[in-house]
Amino acid sequence: MNYTYSAIRILFNKSMGVLMDIKTLWGLRVQEFYRKMFRYYSIIGANVVYFFLVISSIFIYYFNLFLQWIPPQISVEAILSLFVTFILIQTKVRTFIKRADIIFLLPLEWELKSYFIKSLAYSFVIDVIKLLSLITILLSLYLHTTNINFPIFFLIVGIVSYNILMKWTEQWLENHVQFVLHRLNRFFSIYLMCYFLFKNDWIFELVLMSVNLVFLIYFIGKKRNLNWQWLIVEEESALLRNFKFINIFMDVPNLKRSSRNRRLLTMILKRCIPYSQSNTFLYLYSHLFVRYNDYFYLYLRLTLIGIFVNYAIPTSGWIFNILILFMTGFQVIPLQHEIKQSALLYPISKSQINDSFLKFVLVILYAQLFVLYFAMFILTSTAKIYYLVIGSLFVYVFVYFFVSKKVNFSGSAFKE
């Protein structure tokens, strides 16, 4: 037994490259993560600050208009609680686990209790800061108070604790039905706790929070083995979210993307794009756009948001449409790097590849513009023809004077 344990220990140390104590593993993983992120964020830092300032200002303006549009029967607290719940439900438990760990750390699981306690504490602190900042902004902007006293802080800590622990218990769910019921329970519990917090109904808040936390502590207290596959998927998903954000501003090498075939849309592309040498890369970019979930769902989400805003705020919808077009065009720019380097062997000049990508961006933005304009016309009957003219001019100028400067078809820009 001692010989087996020693062999496992030596094998683990070799996998890490240096001799280390398991107690220091969590700190080393966190340092490694932040060193990697710092390299990216130090490059795009200034752009991120300006990006957030502009986007946050526009969001606050339109969110305020949206709250004014909401019927008086629906309270502001109900909408704000829904918004906060949506933010919290996206929480990831950061463990900094790597895929190779399932081989080397699984035999040492009994020694990793402190490691995962630190991971839960780290995720808890990040969520407390995030929720405290968000609630402070919402209270000051929409409920006209900045009174974050100790009871409110205590309740925020309780909501975050419940959310983190509920997320942690997902690893032990056995089937899809349990997962759906668990998510619904988590969603409505967080929503009600946020609602009672905004309404200052302390009795209901404390009762609901106490019942949920007691149940969770009892559930987690049972001895269970860790679901290592869940831990790995959760960590990779959190890391991918960081890289996707960074990829908006700069190319991230080897960024993994999920995809689907979407045969119907692919068949439509084959019929719509003429078969010719000059359209080769136009077809490739269109095909990648349809297949990659990141770009395809981003396009759908922004379009649906634009349709909803046009319905809720028809008088200012055309301004928001310009923002939607800008955000869509800006975030599809990294698609230029998704084509494999082997595609460069095709006998077509770099200038034609450049033109194909710009034409692709132009087409999808014009399509989005017409969808938003048509939705404005059908839903509100306030769409004027000059809205369409302004939008068309913006798309053309944006593509050929902004996107064209960010297109780079050097061989190193393509992924293997």
Side-chain angles (χ1 to χ4, degrees):
M1 181 66 182
N2 292 334
Y3 174 78
T4 304
Y5 179 81
S6 300
I8 292 173
R9 171 75 70 176
I10 294 171
L11 187 61
F12 169 72
N13 289 333
K14 287 183 178 179
S15 72
M16 301 305 298
V18 293
L19 189 62
M20 63 175 68
D21 191 344
I22 287 181
K23 293 181 180 179
T24 66
L25 177 61
W26 190 86
L28 293 173
R29 287 285 174 86
V30 173
Q31 291 176 20
E32 179 187 354
F33 169 75
Y34 276 102
R35 278 198 302 268
K36 183 186 296 183
M37 291 297 106
F38 180 76
R39 288 200 300 268
Y40 288 113
Y41 282 107
S42 61
I43 296 173
I44 65 176
N47 292 329
V48 171
V49 170
Y50 292 127
F51 177 82
F52 272 120
L53 286 176
V54 173
I55 296 300
S56 299
S57 300
I58 295 173
F59 174 79
I60 290 172
Y61 172 74
Y62 277 98
F63 193 67
N64 188 47
L65 292 180
F66 169 71
L67 291 178
Q68 295 175 10
W69 171 79
I70 294 294
Q73 295 84 1
I74 302 177
S75 66
V76 173
E77 289 84 356
I79 302 300
L80 297 182
S81 301
L82 187 64
F83 177 71
V84 173
T85 303
F86 176 78
I87 298 296
L88 285 178
I89 212 74
Q90 309 299 319
T91 291
K92 300 288 184 183
V93 177
R94 299 303 309 271
T95 58
F96 305 100
I97 290 293
K98 298 180 180 180
R99 189 161 290 274
D101 291 341
I102 199 170
I103 299 174
F104 299 106
L105 293 183
L106 182 59
L108 305 175
E109 183 176 320
W110 62 85
E111 289 192 16
L112 293 173
K113 184 176 181 180
S114 63
Y115 180 96
F116 290 108
I117 290 176
K118 290 176 182 177
S119 297
L120 288 172
Y122 172 85
S123 302
F124 167 79
V125 170
I126 295 297
D127 262 22
V128 165
I129 295 172
K130 178 173 65 177
L131 186 57
L132 189 62
S133 304
L134 183 62
I135 287 181
T136 302
I137 294 172
L138 294 177
L139 287 176
S140 61
L141 287 177
Y142 305 113
L143 299 181
H144 308 295
T145 178
T146 56
N147 187 22
I148 302 292
N149 48 33
F150 180 76
I152 292 180
F153 178 77
F154 172 78
L155 295 175
I156 290 174
V157 169
I159 293 172
V160 171
S161 301
Y162 173 78
N163 183 49
I164 293 293
L165 293 176
M166 283 291 281
K167 182 65 180 179
W168 182 251
T169 58
E170 283 185 3
Q171 64 179 297
W172 296 306
L173 301 179
E174 298 177 357
N175 53 57
H176 184 68
V177 174
Q178 289 184 2
F179 179 80
V180 172
L181 294 176
H182 183 275
R183 275 292 177 95
L184 289 174
N185 179 34
R186 179 181 166 204
F187 179 87
F188 286 111
S189 297
I190 294 174
Y191 175 79
L192 289 174
M193 284 190 283
C194 291
Y195 179 76
F196 292 140
L197 175 64
F198 288 132
K199 294 287 288 186
N200 294 324
D201 290 335
W202 308 119
I203 301 298
F204 291 107
E205 176 82 7
L206 289 172
V207 169
L208 180 62
M209 187 176 295
S210 301
V211 171
N212 285 327
L213 288 177
V214 168
F215 171 77
L216 269 176
I217 292 172
Y218 169 77
F219 184 77
I220 294 176
K222 296 182 178 180
K223 291 185 177 180
R224 293 183 177 87
N225 292 327
L226 294 172
N227 185 339
W228 284 84
Q229 190 60 39
W230 182 89
L231 295 174
I232 291 169
V233 171
E234 184 75 6
E235 179 60 25
E236 289 182 346
S237 176
L239 193 60
L240 182 62
R241 183 183 294 179
N242 274 284
F243 284 140
K244 285 180 180 178
F245 175 76
I246 295 169
N247 200 53
I248 295 174
F249 303 93
M250 58 185 296
D251 183 42
V252 178
N254 303 318
L255 179 61
K256 296 180 180 179
R257 299 191 184 277
S258 59
S259 62
R260 292 182 59 184
N261 288 331
R262 299 191 173 93
R263 296 178 181 176
L264 178 60
L265 291 176
T266 302
M267 291 174 58
I268 294 173
L269 286 178
K270 289 181 179 179
R271 293 180 178 275
C272 293
I273 300 177
Y275 182 79
S276 65
Q277 185 181 38
S278 60
N279 289 324
T280 301
F281 278 83
L282 176 62
Y283 174 77
L284 287 176
Y285 285 124
S286 303
H287 189 75
L288 288 174
F289 173 75
V290 166
R291 287 197 63 198
Y292 279 140
N293 293 330
D294 297 346
Y295 296 104
F296 185 74
Y297 288 136
L298 167 74
Y299 188 80
L300 287 182
R301 283 196 301 268
L302 289 176
T303 304
L304 290 175
I305 291 172
I307 292 172
F308 178 77
V309 171
N310 283 327
Y311 172 70
I313 316 168
T315 55
S316 303
W318 70 275
I319 301 175
F320 194 81
N321 289 346
I322 299 296
L323 176 64
I324 290 290
L325 293 169
F326 172 79
M327 293 176 65
T328 302
F330 190 78
Q331 295 190 65
V332 298
I333 291 176
L335 183 65
Q336 64 177 304
H337 303 307
E338 300 294 344
I339 292 181
K340 293 183 179 179
Q341 192 170 6
S342 57
L344 290 176
L345 298 175
Y346 193 82
I348 189 171
S349 66
K350 298 292 177 63
S351 61
Q352 285 180 297
I353 301 176
N354 189 339
D355 292 340
S356 295
F357 182 73
L358 295 179
K359 186 177 180 181
F360 157 75
V361 178
L362 191 73
V363 168
I364 64 171
L365 292 185
Y366 273 138
Q368 188 178 51
L369 172 64
F370 284 114
V371 169
L372 294 175
Y373 179 82
F374 184 74
M376 180 186 292
F377 180 79
I378 295 297
L379 296 174
T380 66
S381 300
T382 60
K384 296 180 174 62
I385 191 64
Y386 70 82
Y387 293 167
L388 187 61
V389 174
I390 293 174
S392 300
L393 289 174
F394 171 79
V395 169
Y396 185 86
V397 171
F398 175 75
V399 171
Y400 287 104
F401 289 89
F402 179 80
V403 178
S404 61
K405 295 180 180 179
K406 294 186 175 291
V407 176
N408 175 22
F409 290 104
S410 61
S412 60
F414 291 85
K415 290 184 184 180
E416 294 278 351

